[in-house]
Amino acid sequence: MVKHRTTLTFYGGVNEIGGNKILLQDGDTRVFFDFGMSYALKKQFYSPPFLSPKTEKSLQELGILPRIEGAYRFDGKAPSVDAIFLSHGHMDHSAYLSFIKREIPVHCGETTKIILEALSENRRADLEFDVEGIDFKPFRTGNKITVDDLEVEPVHVDHSVPGAYGFIVHTSNGAVVYTGDFRVHGAKPEMTREFVEKAKDAEPLAVVTEATNMTGASVSSESEVEGKLNSIVEQTSGIVLASFALTDVDRLNSFYRVAKKNGRCLAVSLKQAHVMEALRRDKGLRVPPLRDESVLIFRKSKKRYDRWEGQIIERYKERVVDVFEVSKRQCSAILAMSFYDLEELVELQPSAGSCYVLSASEPFNEEMEMDFERLCNWFRHYGLPQYHVHVSGHIMPLQLKSILKEVNAARVFPIHTDSTELFVKFMRDLKGQVVPPEKGREYEV
Ligand SMILES: [Zn+2]
Ligand SMILES: [Zn+2]
């Protein structure tokens, strides 16, 4: 194969958790890995819903959306990007597809496509998240996608959303590995293991790795979380209120199993039911059926329902409950609720001995952008103690170090972290060179 110049440029995910946008160029071929929204940058200027960006111009002006000629729908230039590869469906990796020219193909796992299309249906039209018209090209592990002379090999990894992948990119100079977001303490560590094996075999020139958990690391696992949830539910005499991320299927399954085990029903929101219904179409996933006797669908009190909400209510009539019904059966329910559902507590009137479980932490998850102070005031008002039971979707430092040693790339680029310097020091005895990337700078590999 003819050797071209191969470079990496990081347009996001630099010194911040999320917002990944990594350009890989091999000769004339230009491919992006992820195209996410940067919550950290956005927070510096905006506070939705009242102070929100109105146009892409504002986002570019403030440096939230990088200037990349020929990438965006609004720039009227010929496409300058050959393809985009998404590692998974979290917004900090995928949302800014919104701005991408529709003729640029977007390769992603089948599950990611399902998730993004479902979320796009059940959210109001949004400048920063709109996948209408995107040319999704779904893949599965084992597929190899060629873009000109590049060959991209997606390999599944375990993360807090199903359908997450790492990539091994075979360039004209050798392999470049991108981890996406991953972990080895989740429900399917063997998937991450397979990715690491393949990455190692590729003898990569460079690894672009997530490094989220350099501070506040812990030793736990998804199964330990389930045990803890069970112990809380076992002891609770009233209703169990719970918050967890909409697309975290492992956690959903944990709550479902715990509900079943304790003779309770798990009441999910219409939004969650809609995502679950979509994900049930993915044969590779285990998602609780909405007609299951341990599942209820909680219909919030409001005057008008969106079309997709009406459809869910119609299709699963016999499983749909309102706040009054839940209020009558508190001791036999786990009610999944978000910050936006707190007003329901007024009718629910949690009985003595009820409690609240926060089973999420990632602040870049839209569902969890909670205002903790207000949340606490509600729970104080109703006498609800709060438990925090969670395990991160991201790999822990010692495990990451051992994996990077094993993969043994010539260069390591840490991204998706606010502790880049710490990472560089902690990893300084790796054989390869650790390079803290600068935003917008081109690195030859
Ligand atoms: Zn992420
Ligand atoms: Zn993620």
Side-chain angles (χ1 to χ4, degrees):
M1 199 198 290
V2 188
K3 280 197 179 183
H4 303 293
R5 189 167 169 265
T6 307
T7 60
L8 285 168
T9 313
F10 302 88
Y11 287 101
V14 175
N15 296 319
E16 57 170 331
I17 296 174
N20 290 15
K21 298 173 208 71
I22 308 150
L23 174 65
L24 184 146
Q25 303 190 69
D26 191 49
D28 293 334
T29 308
R30 289 159 57 85
V31 170
F32 264 97
F33 288 89
D34 286 338
F35 215 84
M37 163 156 70
S38 165
Y39 285 97
L41 284 178
K42 210 181 128 181
K43 255 202 335 229
Q44 290 177 18
F45 299 96
Y46 292 111
S47 162
F50 300 113
L51 182 56
S52 297
K54 278 226 167 57
T55 62
E56 55 274 355
K57 191 181 167 193
S58 329
L59 293 171
Q60 285 207 315
E61 163 74 25
L62 300 169
I64 301 170
L65 181 68
R67 293 179 195 277
I68 304 160
E69 203 167 288
Y72 304 128
R73 294 208 262 185
F74 54 82
D75 79 357
K77 307 256 165 60
S80 66
V81 177
D82 298 291
I84 295 177
F85 286 80
L86 294 186
S87 61
H88 60 288
H90 279 153
M91 291 295 119
D92 60 319
H93 295 253
S94 63
Y96 278 7
L97 282 186
S98 210
F99 304 108
I100 289 293
K101 282 185 192 295
R102 294 317 193 229
E103 56 267 52
I104 300 172
V106 176
H107 302 268
C108 65
E110 281 173 30
T111 313
T112 299
K113 177 179 187 278
I114 293 174
I115 288 173
L116 293 180
E117 286 176 344
L119 292 180
S120 141
E121 201 186 341
N122 70 27
R123 287 160 62 132
R124 298 265 145 76
D126 183 348
L127 169 75
E128 292 174 281
F129 178 62
D130 169 14
V131 295
E132 183 79 43
I134 288 280
D135 179 18
F136 284 116
K137 307 269 190 208
F139 57 64
R140 283 206 175 269
T141 297
N143 294 157
K144 284 178 183 170
I145 301 107
T146 52
V147 184
D148 300 335
D149 290 343
L150 279 185
E151 191 184 66
V152 182
E153 197 183 341
V155 186
H156 49 208
V157 292
D158 187 71
H159 183 41
S160 46
V161 63
Y165 289 81
F167 295 103
I168 300 163
V169 191
H170 302 278
T171 77
S172 61
N173 285 285
V176 173
V177 169
Y178 171 43
T179 64
D181 287 352
F182 72 147
R183 62 176 171 184
V184 289
H185 57 262
K188 291 178 178 153
E190 66 282 1
M191 297 202 300
T192 302
R193 197 58 238 160
E194 209 176 300
F195 168 69
V196 172
E197 287 300 327
K198 289 196 168 146
K200 180 173 77 180
D201 293 346
E203 299 182 3
L205 299 167
V207 173
V208 177
T209 179
E210 74 128 305
T212 314
N213 278 331
M214 287 300 118
T215 58
S218 68
V219 180
S220 185
S221 65
E222 200 57 43
S223 58
E224 190 181 55
V225 164
E226 189 170 324
K228 287 178 183 173
L229 292 176
N230 188 59
S231 124
I232 293 169
V233 173
E234 243 172 25
Q235 299 173 68
T236 305
S237 57
I239 192 164
V240 178
L241 304 171
S243 294
F244 55 97
L246 204 57
T247 54
D248 189 341
V249 171
D250 292 335
R251 198 57 52 82
L252 168 70
N253 278 317
S254 291
F255 271 104
Y256 167 70
R257 283 190 293 262
V258 167
K260 238 178 143 80
K261 203 167 162 184
N262 290 279
R264 291 186 183 239
C265 283
L266 175 63
V268 299
S269 65
L270 287 170
K271 211 175 195 180
Q272 179 123 42
H274 178 249
V275 172
M276 285 164 72
E277 187 186 52
L279 284 172
R280 291 272 304 164
R281 292 201 300 270
D282 189 330
K283 295 287 166 253
L285 284 183
R286 268 184 52 199
V287 177
L290 289 167
R291 296 188 205 281
D292 190 284
E293 55 175 20
S294 298
V295 175
L296 290 171
I297 302 171
F298 177 62
R299 176 166 63 91
K300 238 166 106 163
S301 329
K302 58 179 184 176
K303 290 208 177 69
R304 261 196 70 244
Y305 293 95
D306 287 343
R307 207 168 71 98
W308 62 268
E309 290 177 310
Q311 288 167 347
I312 294 284
I313 293 171
E314 183 54 35
R315 271 203 284 281
Y316 303 98
K317 271 191 222 94
E318 68 295 347
R319 305 308 306 161
V320 175
V321 287
D322 64 11
V323 69
F324 303 101
E325 289 163 88
V326 177
S327 183
K328 277 185 249 154
R329 48 184 302 176
Q330 299 195 25
C331 57
S332 63
I334 298 177
L335 175 63
M337 65 184 311
S338 84
F339 186 63
Y340 308 104
D341 304 328
L342 288 171
E343 177 69 17
E344 298 291 312
L345 293 177
V346 178
E347 296 296 355
L348 182 70
Q349 291 292 324
S351 57
S354 298
C355 73
Y356 173 76
V357 184
L358 173 61
S359 196
S361 77
E362 280 92 0
F364 42 81
N365 183 317
E366 178 235 13
E367 293 301 304
M368 287 297 122
E369 267 189 5
M370 285 189 177
D371 180 333
F372 276 94
E373 202 185 316
R374 267 180 273 261
L375 190 71
C376 293
N377 288 339
W378 279 90
F379 295 144
R380 206 169 289 132
H381 181 83
Y382 285 107
L384 299 169
Q386 297 167 51
Y387 284 88
H388 190 197
V389 183
H390 183 59
V391 65
S392 167
H394 303 275
I395 192 157
M396 295 302 162
L398 293 164
Q399 296 164 330
L400 180 56
K401 186 163 189 174
S402 133
I403 284 175
L404 291 174
K405 267 190 181 158
E406 197 179 333
V407 172
N408 195 27
R411 297 172 95 187
V412 177
F413 296 92
I415 58 162
H416 204 284
T417 179
D418 52 15
S419 307
T420 314
E421 278 178 44
L422 192 162
F423 177 96
V424 173
K425 289 179 187 166
F426 178 57
M427 299 288 180
R428 67 185 182 275
D429 58 341
L430 289 181
K431 268 201 204 136
Q433 181 196 11
V434 182
V435 186
E438 274 171 49
K439 203 171 185 170
R441 188 174 149 185
E442 197 178 79
Y443 294 87
E444 203 157 330
V445 292

